Amino acid sequence: MLPGMAAKPRVAMVGAGNLGTALTLALQQAGYSIEAVIAHAGGASLKRAQRLAGQVAARAATNLSVVRAQLIWFCVPDAAIATAARRLAEKIEWKGRVALHSSGALSSDELGVLRRRGASVASVHPLMTFVRGSRGSLAGVPFALEGDPAALRVARCVVEAVGGHAYPIRKQDKAAYHAWGTFASPLFTALLATMEQVAILAGVNRKAAKQRMIPILQQTLANYAAFGAAGAFSGPIVRGDVDTVKRHRRVLSRNPILHDVYVALALSALRHLPVRNERALSRVLKSNGN
């Protein structure tokens, strides 16, 4: 910890979106005192800050001038991190304070203006999805950390307190790391929406498709957790069933986007998973005809 900093320092959260709300509630449950939730003056962001502040016995504010917190955590959209840091840089004395942000793609350098004013800064990103109406636990969640040594010491203590697991990441790896996370949840959700469209081709509406897919999705994730990707892979491609793949391409050609997604994923399977009849499948998938 920094000299003079409490084991669980007072916290000010900048932003009260889905991620900021989840972190604020988790910090309070872990015994941290939330002093303030900072928002832009007026508008929806201030209303969200007021609601969140009310839940954690904090105050909503539009600047840091009245804040004594030693830990300032920026939970704003990536494009707004540097701007928010510049806006707040002159409001308080930053020496002896820790400033964190939670971007998965951007490094701690986004808080460079605060570093130059004496703060110790770091990026702290949980590999987890946060959506409105869902209050998932942070227990067991991995957090990727990079930044200044003092800020990293504080961040590791915070992550441990909320039940997460901290691990280091290099600045140059953050873009690829965030792309990985995007595959794991947002693009996986896009794939689920794509599945619903394929179900419509089979005469099944979206609501029914969702209900009927849940068991196979749950078992697939359970298989992946237990056996890895290779052990969880099943279906016509792993069997090398060329005729079935041809049938799939023909019916999916009625919707070019669905067809392209199928071919892209099937080619990825040929490259990364064990399959039979690989050459024949590759020819079928790369052919212009269906």
Side-chain angles (χ1 to χ4, degrees):
M1 309 298 286
L2 292 175
M5 181 174 283
K8 289 186 176 180
R10 285 185 178 184
V11 180
M13 304 297 293
V14 181
N18 295 330
L19 173 57
T21 296
L23 287 172
T24 300
L25 295 176
L27 286 167
Q28 187 203 40
Q29 292 168 4
Y32 284 82
S33 174
I34 311 301
E35 182 180 355
V37 181
I38 309 298
H40 292 300
S45 65
L46 180 57
K47 291 180 180 178
R48 288 194 299 269
Q50 290 169 337
R51 286 196 299 269
L52 179 57
Q55 295 180 64
V56 295
R59 56 182 164 180
T62 56
N63 63 65
L64 289 174
S65 60
V66 294
V67 171
R68 301 174 62 187
Q70 293 176 297
L71 172 58
I72 318 297
W73 200 326
F74 291 78
C75 294
V76 297
D78 286 10
I81 294 172
T83 301
R86 286 193 297 270
R87 182 172 66 87
L88 298 174
E90 298 181 2
K91 302 298 182 181
I92 59 173
E93 170 60 53
W94 285 94
K95 187 175 181 180
R97 285 186 164 95
V98 168
L100 309 176
H101 76 67
S102 288
S103 168
L106 301 177
S107 78
S108 58
D109 291 341
E110 294 298 298
L111 300 176
V113 65
L114 305 182
R115 178 186 278 139
R116 291 189 292 273
R117 288 179 173 271
S120 182
V121 306
S123 65
V124 181
H125 181 262
L127 191 63
M128 177 51 63
T129 178
F130 302 92
V131 298
R132 185 176 301 175
S134 175
R135 295 286 177 85
S137 170
L138 294 177
V141 171
F143 284 71
L145 278 57
E146 67 79 26
D148 302 334
L152 291 176
R153 288 195 295 272
V154 173
R156 282 192 290 268
C157 291
V158 171
V159 170
E160 181 179 346
V162 300
H165 301 292
Y167 72 93
I169 188 168
R170 300 183 303 174
K171 290 180 182 181
Q172 62 265 37
D173 293 333
K174 290 210 68 177
Y177 159 80
H178 196 251
W180 166 40
T182 300
F183 268 93
S185 183
L187 290 181
F188 179 65
T189 304
L191 180 58
L192 294 176
T194 303
M195 293 178 202
E196 294 176 352
Q197 294 300 312
V198 180
I200 289 172
L201 288 181
V204 181
N205 64 45
R206 288 189 185 89
K207 183 178 179 179
K210 176 185 173 183
Q211 294 172 338
R212 296 176 194 178
M213 287 193 302
I214 293 299
I216 191 172
L217 290 170
Q218 290 176 328
Q219 188 59 54
T220 299
L221 286 175
N223 292 344
Y224 174 73
F227 310 120
F233 192 47
S234 64
I237 295 175
V238 73
R239 296 194 302 267
D241 189 341
V242 172
D243 290 339
T244 295
V245 171
K246 287 180 178 179
R247 292 188 186 95
H248 291 171
R249 286 198 65 189
R250 280 195 294 271
V251 70
L252 292 173
S253 66
R254 291 153 53 186
N255 185 317
I257 293 178
L258 302 183
H259 178 269
D260 290 350
V261 171
Y262 178 93
V263 170
L265 289 173
L267 288 172
S268 180
L270 296 190
R271 183 175 180 85
H272 301 296
L273 294 166
V275 301
R276 297 177 183 175
N277 217 2
E278 180 180 350
R279 289 185 180 179
L281 285 171
S282 181
R283 286 194 298 270
V284 167
L285 290 166
K286 293 178 179 179
S287 66
N288 291 327
N290 298 319

